[in-house]
Amino acid sequence: MKRLIMAGFAAIGLMAGGAQAEEAGKIGVDWVGNDIVIEAVHDREVSGITCHLAYFDRGMIDRLTKGNWFEDPSNSSIACRATGPIVIGDIELDQDGEEVFKHGRSFLWKKLVVNRIFDRENNTMIYLSHSRQVTDGSAKMAISTVPFYGVEVSWDPEFWPDGAPE
């Protein structure tokens, strides 16, 4: 009975988040059910850019035999590319950027996050994947950039009636 309850909690932790992405692939890495998951993340405010995010997903057998039932590793990898004409909507232009994706990596406290920052000086969109935790933040991160050189880019007139900000 105790194992069943723990398995239920682990399943709840796995289901948290992830609604903004579509699974593009899943690769089994061992016999205990551990996988590498690849998701296609679409930025809601910047159409025409797709980020592919890869992360490790612990299987149930691994969780039950090694303990730490409610948590996945913080590691992630990201690659973003222009996949069509880029239309930029209502985005933050300061150096802090903004969060565009969040996926639960533990039952409550850890999230895999993707932030977007517009590098105005280099005319490039930056996407950073990292783990956000309540305490003991992780230094594990990955970065991808989409330079706008030679790419069709427009600023949505609903949010930018005067065109691209300077």
Side-chain angles (χ1 to χ4, degrees):
M1 182 64 170
K2 186 176 179 180
R3 282 188 177 180
L4 185 59
I5 292 170
M6 291 301 178
F9 279 124
I12 291 168
L14 287 173
M15 291 186 291
Q20 299 171 333
E22 303 163 3
E23 189 174 293
K26 190 173 197 173
I27 297 147
V29 296
D30 58 28
W31 67 272
V32 295
N34 294 319
D35 297 317
I36 295 172
V37 176
I38 303 166
E39 293 186 337
V41 177
H42 302 282
D43 188 336
R44 291 180 179 176
E45 298 297 332
V46 181
S47 64
I49 293 179
T50 303
C51 296
H52 288 91
L53 183 65
Y55 57 88
F56 192 80
D57 186 28
R58 292 176 59 213
M60 192 59 62
I61 294 171
D62 188 54
R63 290 175 191 281
L64 294 173
T65 58
K66 294 182 181 172
N68 198 5
W69 300 294
F70 306 111
E71 187 171 56
D72 280 315
S74 298
N75 306 36
S76 66
S77 178
I78 191 167
C80 303
R81 301 293 183 268
T83 54
I86 297 172
V87 179
I88 301 173
D90 187 19
I91 67 168
E92 294 291 329
L93 295 175
D94 59 11
Q95 288 186 333
D96 293 338
E98 63 189 302
E99 185 178 287
V100 297
F101 174 79
K102 176 174 50 179
H103 178 85
R105 301 301 291 148
S106 72
F107 183 61
L108 291 174
W109 310 114
K110 187 193 303 187
K111 304 272 188 240
L112 174 60
V113 178
V114 175
N115 288 83
R116 173 199 342 100
I117 298 171
F118 179 59
D119 177 357
R120 194 179 312 198
E121 186 175 327
N122 295 298
N123 202 24
T124 298
M125 200 65 80
I126 301 167
Y127 290 88
L128 174 73
S129 68
H130 62 96
S131 175
R132 185 174 63 222
Q133 302 176 45
V134 174
T135 61
D136 299 325
S138 175
K140 297 174 183 177
M141 68 194 93
I143 190 170
S144 185
T145 62
V146 180
F148 291 163
Y149 179 77
V151 178
E152 182 183 333
V153 177
S154 61
W155 294 77
D156 188 336
E158 179 180 342
F159 301 105
W160 309 99
D162 299 327
E166 293 180 15

